[in-house]
């Protein structure tokens, strides 16, 4: 009896010093779970690259020149000697392009107005004469109601363009504030808006093929850039020397130095 009691006591004492396999396994499983959870948190913390919508066949590429927008042509190619587009976001590049194409369109209309308005003016009984620089002021004096209608039409078209392409001011300012974006005066283009595409195409000239659309966009940009240079040249020329643009370009004027 005593022998059995002693053997039992020794067995219990030995088991007390034996390693616990169950505890080790539990500890190992717990550490593995912690490692997996830390890795998952690291993956969750890494910001996913922004997904840009495809508009008119263009998908913004932040690494490409001007985010991949058309307009770069030979021989100048990616022409930006002053680095205006360097390190800009896609949103900022879109705003630059919106400004460029809008001013280009205004420049094309201005050049046409200079060349035609100075030589063909049937409105207001032919009272609008002289250099085109003075025509708007003459219209304001000769037909104030028409001038007011003209200003209201321009304002309406600009409000319509802003409503189509731009985020509402309050929402844009909140977004810029939350993301610490400065210097944009609350301006924010919509993500699904292609710069310059306000949906105005009464003659159905807009191509549906992305390649053809990019080509047409490049042609419009090039003509707009040339028109801006031409318009500023005409404005400065008339402001300094006063004669009408077509008068200076006419053969009669060029052949008669005394008329300069």
């Amino acid at each position: 009896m005593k022998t059995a009691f002693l053997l039992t006591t020794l067995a219990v004492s030995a088991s007390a010093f034996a390693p616990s396999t169950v505890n080790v396994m539990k500890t190992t499983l717990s550490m593995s779970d912690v490692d997996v959870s830390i890795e998952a948190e690291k993956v969750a913390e890494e910001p996913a690259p922004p997904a840009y919508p495809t508009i008119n066949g263009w998908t913004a590429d932040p690494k490409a020149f001007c985010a991949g927008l058309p307009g770069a042509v030979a021989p100048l190619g990616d022409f930006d000697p002053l680095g205006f587009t360097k390190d800009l976001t896609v949103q900022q590049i879109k705003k630059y392009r919106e400004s460029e194409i809008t001013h280009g369109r205004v420049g094309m209309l201005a050049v046409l107005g200079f060349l035609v308005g100075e030589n063909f003016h049937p409105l207001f009984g032919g009272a609008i004469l002289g250099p085109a620089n003075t025509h708007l002021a003459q219209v304001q004096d000769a037909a104030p109601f028409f001038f007011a209608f003209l200003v209201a039409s321009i304002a309406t078209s600009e409000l319509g363009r802003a409503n189509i392409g731009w985020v509402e001011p309050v929402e844009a300012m909140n977004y810029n504030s939350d993301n610490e974006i400065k210097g944009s005066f609350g301006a924010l283009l919509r993500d699904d808006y292609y710069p310059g595409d306000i949906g105005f195409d009464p003659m159905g000239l807009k191509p549906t093929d992305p390649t053809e659309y990019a080509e047409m966009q490049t042609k419009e940009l090039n003509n707009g850039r040339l028109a801006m240079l031409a318009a500023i040249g005409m404005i400065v020329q008339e402001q300094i020397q006063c004669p009408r643009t077509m008068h200076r370009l006419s053969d009669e004027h060029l052949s008669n130095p005394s008329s300069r």
Side-chain angles (χ1 to χ4, degrees):
M1 186 71 179
K2 289 181 179 180
T3 303
F5 177 76
L6 288 173
L7 291 174
T8 304
T9 304
L10 290 172
V12 171
S13 300
S15 66
F17 293 96
S20 175
T21 306
V22 176
N23 288 339
V24 171
M25 185 178 295
K26 287 183 178 179
T27 304
T28 305
L29 289 175
S30 299
M31 292 300 295
S32 176
D33 291 342
V34 170
D35 292 340
V36 171
S37 122
I38 291 174
E39 291 297 327
E41 288 179 0
K42 288 183 179 179
V43 172
E45 290 176 358
E46 293 179 358
Y52 299 101
T54 299
I55 320 165
N56 295 331
W58 168 72
T59 304
D61 181 3
K63 297 180 181 180
F65 179 74
C66 283
L69 284 167
V73 294
L76 299 178
D78 298 342
F79 183 77
D80 185 17
L82 299 179
F84 286 125
T85 60
K86 185 179 180 181
D87 299 328
L88 292 184
T89 64
V90 172
Q91 176 68 215
Q92 291 170 320
I93 290 175
K94 285 177 65 175
K95 285 190 286 189
Y96 272 34
R97 176 51 56 86
E98 174 77 8
S99 176
E100 180 184 22
I101 196 165
T102 300
H103 284 86
R105 290 167 178 171
V106 172
M108 287 186 280
L109 289 174
V111 170
L112 185 63
F114 266 81
L115 299 179
V116 175
E118 290 183 346
N119 298 278
F120 181 71
H121 31 75
L123 299 178
F124 314 112
I128 311 301
L129 302 171
N133 278 2
T134 65
H135 285 187
L136 196 59
Q138 293 182 56
V139 171
Q140 186 177 8
D141 293 335
F145 289 105
F146 178 82
F147 181 82
F149 172 77
L150 182 63
V151 172
S153 299
I154 295 173
T156 302
S157 64
E158 283 299 296
L159 288 173
R161 182 173 70 93
N163 185 56
I164 292 171
W166 301 79
V167 176
E168 285 71 14
V170 175
E171 182 181 346
M173 286 188 287
N174 290 336
Y175 176 87
N176 292 335
S177 176
D178 294 341
N179 293 273
E180 299 182 353
I181 299 175
K182 299 179 180 180
S184 58
F185 302 102
L188 189 66
L189 284 172
R190 301 183 189 275
D191 291 336
D192 59 349
Y193 174 70
Y194 188 94
D197 186 7
I198 58 176
F200 182 76
D201 185 24
M203 300 182 67
L205 299 177
K206 177 182 175 180
T208 56
D209 180 73
T211 303
E212 294 179 359
Y213 183 85
E215 291 177 357
M216 178 172 283
Q217 180 83 147
T218 301
K219 292 176 182 178
E220 182 181 19
L221 284 166
N222 286 337
N223 283 288
R225 292 162 181 167
L226 178 61
M228 286 188 282
L229 293 173
I232 193 64
M234 294 176 183
I235 292 170
V236 172
Q237 182 72 32
E238 290 194 355
Q239 197 67 26
I240 295 175
Q241 297 186 346
C242 289
R244 293 176 297 168
T245 299
M246 289 302 295
H247 176 63
R248 291 192 59 84
L249 295 176
S250 65
D251 293 337
E252 178 182 357
H253 174 68
L254 294 176
S255 62
N256 185 7
S258 62
S259 64
R260 298 180 186 179

